[in-house]
Amino acid sequence: MNMIQAINSALDVVMDRDPDVIVMGEDVGYFGGVFRATAGLQTKYGKTRVFDTPITEIGIVGVAIGMGAYGLRPVPEIQFADYIYPALDQLVSEAARLRYRSAGEFTSPITVRSPYGGGIFGGQTHSQSPEGIFTHVSGIKTVIPSTPYDAKGLLIAAIEDNDPVLFLEPKRIYNGPFDGHWDRPAKNWSAHGGGEVPTGYYRVELGKAQVVRAGEALTILCYGTMVHVVSGVVAEAGVDAEIIDLRTLVPLDIETIEASVKKTGRCMIVHEATRTSGFGAELSALVQERCFYHLEAPVERVTGFDTPYPHSLEWAYFPGPVRIGEALKKIMKD
Amino acid sequence: MASEPVRANMPPLSLHVPEPKFRPGDPVDFADVDVPPAGSARRPDTAEPAGRFTELAYTLVRVLDEEGGAVGPWDPKLSPDRLREMLRAMALTRAFDERMFRAQRQGKTSFYMKSTGEEAVSVAAAFAMDRDDMCFPSYRQQGILISRGYPLVEMMNQIYSNSGDKLGGKQLPIMYSAKDHGFFSISGNLATQYPQAVGWAMASAVKGDSRIAATWCGEGSTAEGDFHSACTFASVYRAPVVMNVVNNQWAISSFSGFAGAEATTFAARAVGYGIAGLRVDGNDALAVYAATQWAAERARTNQGPTLIEHFTYRAEGHSTSDDPSAYRSAGEPNAWPLGDPIRRLRDHLIALGEWDEERHERQDKELAAHVRDCQKEAEKNGILGHGLHQPLDSLFDGVFEDMPWHLREQRQMMLDEEEASGRPWARK
C-alpha cells in the first residue's frame, strides 16, 4: 500500500470495529478527500458516519469536540495543516484542556488528521510544518508517521487513544519515499519495506520511536519525510549514523533518544519546520540536559529557514541532501 | 496614470464608532426601546419552515403583562406549583449570587460573577428542558445548575477551590462542570461551547438518541467566529440544538452596539442561517419557558435548531473585578423597561392568588438562611488561600489519561523542590 491507502485502511478497520468512530471534514464524504484518504468510506459506512462539512475549521474541530463529549470518537480532517490555525482556539483551549479542567468528567478522544510538510511546490499555504505549535500545548499528542505501515498502525492507535491527537501526514511521501533528490525520478512504496501493510487490525503504539538504521558515529533525530531524506544522505555519505524516526513527538520516546546519543556522542536534528522555537529546539535542549557529558560535539540542527515557505525557491528552503550533508561533515569534524 | 482625484466633489469618508446612549452621570430614558405588548407575538407550529420567522426575530415574545397577567398564545399555562418552583429557583440563584459576591469581597475567594436580572434566562430554560438534555453554558447560567438541584455546597466548594472541590482547585471560580447534571465544563474562552453543543446534538442524532443540546452565550460573544461556525453547522445538519443568545446589553464595558445591535437584532442572525429565530423578553420567565419548550420540541421532532435571543439587562457589574459606574449610567438598571424577572413572576403569582408578599419575604429569608448554612458547610472544606487544599502533586493529574514521562519527571522535580524548601505541605 502507499500511505494514502494505508490511512484509508486504518479508517476502514477502526470504523468497522467501533460504530462510534466518525469521519468528517471538507470534501471527505462523497468525493473521498482531496488526497483520496477517505475514498469509499461513505459508501461503506453511510452519510451519518462519513460526511462533508462546511468550510470552517473552527466548526470542524469544535463540533468534533462536542461529539467526543457525547461519547463518539471523531476523526476530523483539516485539508492542509496550513489551514489548522482557525481551529487553534478549539484545539488549544478546549480539546487539550477538557480532561484537565473538568477533572476527567469530559474528555476529547478526537484525532485530527492533517496533511503537512513541503517538497511539493505547495508554496506558502500548502507546505507548512506547524508541529512545534502543538507540541508546546499541554494535553495534546502529536504523531507523524514516515511509512505506510506506521501510518496505519499509528492512526489506529491514535483513534483508539482517549486523548486528543494531532495526526500530521507528510503529504510528500503519500505516494512514495522521498530522499530529497527532487531532480531524480520519484519512487513508490512498492520497493520499500514500509509499504508492506497488513489489511487487518494492528497498532503501532504512540510514544515509541523507531531506530531506522543502527549506527555508532552519530545519532540523527528526524520524523516524517525527513526520515527518508536523512536515510538517503547517510547512505550516500557512507556515515555510520543511527537514524531515529521519532514517530510521536508528544509524548516523546526519550529513552531511545538518550540511549542512542550516549552511545554515539553526537546528535543531529532534522526537520522541515522553521528553526526558531521549532521542535528541534526542544530536542536539542533535552539531549544537552541528559547527555551533556557524552557529547563530543555541539548538537546540530538542520531545519527549514525562518521564512514563510517559498514557491519558486522551494529547494533552497527545503533541508535537502546538500544542507544535511554539510551539517554531517561539520558535526563529524569535531 | 490617474493624476486627478476622480471624486473631488464627494465629502470625505467618516468612520462610525458606536456609542451607548448613556454614560456615567447621564439621566436615563429608555423610551426608545421598543417593547411590544405581551401576547402580541404569534406562536407558530414547531414544524414551521425556518424561512417564516423573520417577523418573530424582530419583535419580542412576551407573556406577562404589566398587571401580572399571563396573556397570548405563548402562555405555557404552568401549574401554580410549577410557577412557585421556578420562582424559588430564581430567588435562590439571586441569594446565592449575593452571598458569593460578598464572599469574594471578604477575601474568601478570588473571583465571582453574578447573574442578577438574568435569572429567568437560565432558570426558566432549565425548567423547560428535560433533565438529560445537555447544556453548554457560558459563565452566567448558574441558574441551570440550581434549577437542576446541583448542591449549592458543591458550587461553593468549586468557588473556594477547597478540599471538597470536585475540580481539584484547577479551575477559576464559577467555571463549574457537572456531567451528571447535564452541565458541560465551562471554559474561559468565549463562544467555544457553541460549536461543541452543535456537535453534541449532531452526535445524539447520529446515534438515534432522543436527547437534545442547548447552549448559551452573551450578545458580545456572538461576534466570535465560533458563533458563525456553530450556526452554519446547526443549520446544515439540522442539529437538535437550542442556541441562546443572552442579550444583556453589555459585554464588560462595551454596549451591544459593538456586537452589531445598532443595525439589527441578534435573533435576526437566524434568518440568514436558515434557522428558526425567536426574540424573547428575557425578564419574562414564562416567555423564556415557552420559547425554550417550543425550541426543544422543534429539535426533538427533527425540525432542526432554534436561535433564541433573550432580551434582558445585566443589572450588576460584569464580575467582581468590574466597576460598571466607570462606563454606564447608574440609573440604567432601575430604568430598564422590562423590569426585574423575579418581581414580575412574583406579581403574576400574586395576581393569580397563589402567592403573597408576606410569603415572598419569608421565602427570601429562608433562602438566604439556606445559602448561609451551605456556605458554612462549604467553608469546613476550606477557603481559598488558607493553606493548600489539594495534594501538591495532583497538579499533574488529568493532563492526559496516563501520565507521560515528562510530567512524571516534572512532578518529582516539584516534590523534591518542596521537600528541600522545608514547607510542610510538600509532604501530602
Side-chain angles (χ1 to χ4, degrees), chain A residues 20 52-53 56 58 62-63 66-67 70 89-90 93-94 99-101 103 105-106 139 162-163 252 254 290, chain B residues 166 170-171 177-179 185 187 189 192 195-196 199-200 207 209 226 229 237 395 397-398 400-401 405 409:
Chain A
D20 289 336
D52 294 311
T53 63
T56 159
I58 301 179
V63 160
M67 290 180 147
Y70 176 92
D89 189 33
Q90 286 287 349
S93 312
E94 302 296 317
R99 179 190 296 279
Y100 192 76
R101 78 171 194 230
E105 273 199 336
F106 296 96
N162 289 326
D163 291 313
L252 185 68
I254 194 68
R290 305 169 95 91
Chain B
K166 285 184 171 173
K170 293 194 173 86
Q171 265 283 40
S177 178
K179 190 177 188 178
S185 158
S187 169
N189 295 62
T192 51
Q196 293 163 7
W200 197 99
K207 300 304 278 186
D209 200 344
D226 304 67
S229 290
Y237 303 97
L395 187 150
D397 295 344
F400 295 100
E401 184 173 40
W405 67 270
E409 215 174 80

Side-chain angles (χ1 to χ4, degrees), chain A residues 192-251:
Chain A
H192 189 286
E196 282 169 36
V197 181
T199 52
Y201 174 87
Y202 68 93
R203 288 167 58 112
V204 173
E205 294 306 322
L206 307 187
K208 298 266 183 278
Q210 165 117 316
V211 178
V212 175
R213 182 193 188 281
E216 302 291 331
L218 84 157
T219 300
I220 305 180
L221 306 178
C222 50
Y223 47 88
T225 303
M226 302 319 289
V227 171
H228 304 282
V229 178
V230 164
S231 296
V233 175
V234 164
E236 283 177 29
V239 181
D240 188 22
E242 182 145 300
I243 303 172
I244 298 177
D245 174 3
L246 299 177
R247 299 201 289 199
T248 303
L249 307 192
V250 175

